[in-house]
Amino acid sequence: MLNFPNSTEFNKRIPKQKFYENIAVTPAMKRAFVEQIRTIYWRNKIAATTLNLAAGEQVTEIEVFEVRLSAPELDESVLRQIDREIPYHILFLLEYEGKYRAVIGYKEAAAGKTAFKVDRYYSTDWLDEDDLPVHLDGLTLDAVYENFVRQIAGDALGAGESTSLKDCVEQQKQRELLEKQIAALEAKIRKEKQPRKKFEMVQQMKTLTGELERV
């Protein structure tokens, strides 16, 4: 898929039961796997053994999973469950009625660097497969993974490639927090009857807006 080299092709179907049968998952999680997913295919393995790439310090393999859906929405908890069970970085290609959405988790090393935890997911819109903005770019697996995240996140990460991916993600978190605080203040200002309190909140909102512009 995605015109990745033939050497990376794996094309193995993975029974979706693998992710919930022999482990403790909630009834809601099992229901999401059963009702929202039709089939899962392991399409590609991007690794130093399948491509002329150097192994990364953090990324040793990137698996490409095609997840065919029964409905256009998939609970994020399902992706997190798959990511927990597979000890590598994963590029998800969600398929529904011939359209595709690329999804990837920004992963950070957990304690001891023996495992990874997903900080957050980024995704494209629903597109034709040929229009997905995902392509191999980089000389190491770390670089390929980082570029996948940037390609899929698009404008959401804001800063350019001169800023580290980790810093871009942290800046996005700061923006989201400030935007949430500003929205909450705006709602309070609309309801506030006392001029003095309203003035104080307006000044506070101006401060937060200034911080947002600097992030």
Side-chain angles (χ1 to χ4, degrees):
M1 300 191 72
L2 298 175
N3 294 317
F4 289 161
N6 293 340
S7 59
T8 69
E9 289 184 2
F10 200 64
N11 292 328
K12 179 181 179 182
R13 182 171 177 172
I14 304 176
K16 58 185 178 181
Q17 306 92 278
K18 173 183 174 66
F19 297 105
Y20 61 78
E21 266 190 347
N22 299 315
I23 51 179
V25 299
T26 64
M29 173 79 73
K30 181 176 179 179
R31 187 163 58 249
F33 270 96
V34 171
E35 296 179 356
Q36 297 178 12
I37 293 177
R38 291 193 292 119
T39 51
I40 301 174
Y41 292 95
W42 186 346
R43 290 300 189 192
N44 301 83
K45 176 189 288 189
I46 299 170
T49 56
T50 63
L51 281 176
N52 186 24
L53 290 173
E57 292 183 12
Q58 300 289 337
V59 185
T60 57
E61 286 187 18
I62 304 171
E63 319 303 347
V64 181
F65 282 8
E66 179 187 1
V67 183
R68 295 185 180 178
L69 304 180
S70 303
E73 297 299 326
L74 178 65
D75 289 352
E76 185 179 291
S77 60
V78 170
L79 297 181
R80 288 186 179 276
Q81 180 62 32
I82 295 174
D83 259 316
R84 274 193 293 268
E85 293 300 306
I86 303 295
Y88 300 110
H89 293 70
I90 304 174
L91 166 61
F92 294 98
L93 297 176
L94 308 185
E95 185 276 339
Y96 180 68
E97 294 187 346
K99 296 288 186 180
Y100 285 85
R101 168 177 276 177
V103 182
I104 196 165
Y106 171 67
K107 285 186 171 182
E108 291 186 329
K113 294 187 177 182
T114 56
F116 292 90
K117 61 178 180 179
V118 175
D119 184 297
R120 56 179 47 205
Y121 285 95
Y122 295 98
S123 69
T124 66
D125 293 329
W126 286 106
L127 302 165
D128 290 332
E129 183 186 345
D130 291 341
D131 293 333
L132 289 171
V134 181
H135 55 273
L136 285 168
D137 185 14
L139 299 178
T140 69
L141 284 161
D142 283 349
V144 170
Y145 165 72
E146 177 173 328
N147 285 320
F148 279 166
V149 175
R150 291 184 184 275
Q151 291 160 13
I152 291 169
D155 294 338
L157 286 178
E161 293 185 8
S162 58
T163 306
S164 73
L165 180 59
K166 181 178 178 64
D167 286 344
C168 285
V169 172
E170 290 303 318
Q171 287 172 1
Q172 183 196 13
K173 288 181 184 177
Q174 290 180 333
R175 286 195 298 271
E176 290 175 351
L177 178 60
L178 288 167
E179 287 167 355
K180 186 176 180 179
Q181 291 173 332
I182 290 169
L185 265 177
E186 287 176 336
K188 287 182 179 179
I189 290 168
R190 286 194 295 269
K191 295 178 181 178
E192 183 55 56
K193 303 299 183 184
Q194 297 184 28
R196 182 176 176 180
K197 285 187 177 181
K198 180 173 285 192
F199 175 78
E200 290 174 351
M201 286 190 286
V202 168
Q203 296 307 114
Q204 187 180 353
M205 190 173 74
K206 286 181 179 178
T207 300
L208 292 175
T209 301
E211 290 180 23
L212 180 61
E213 290 172 352
R214 291 191 293 273
V215 174

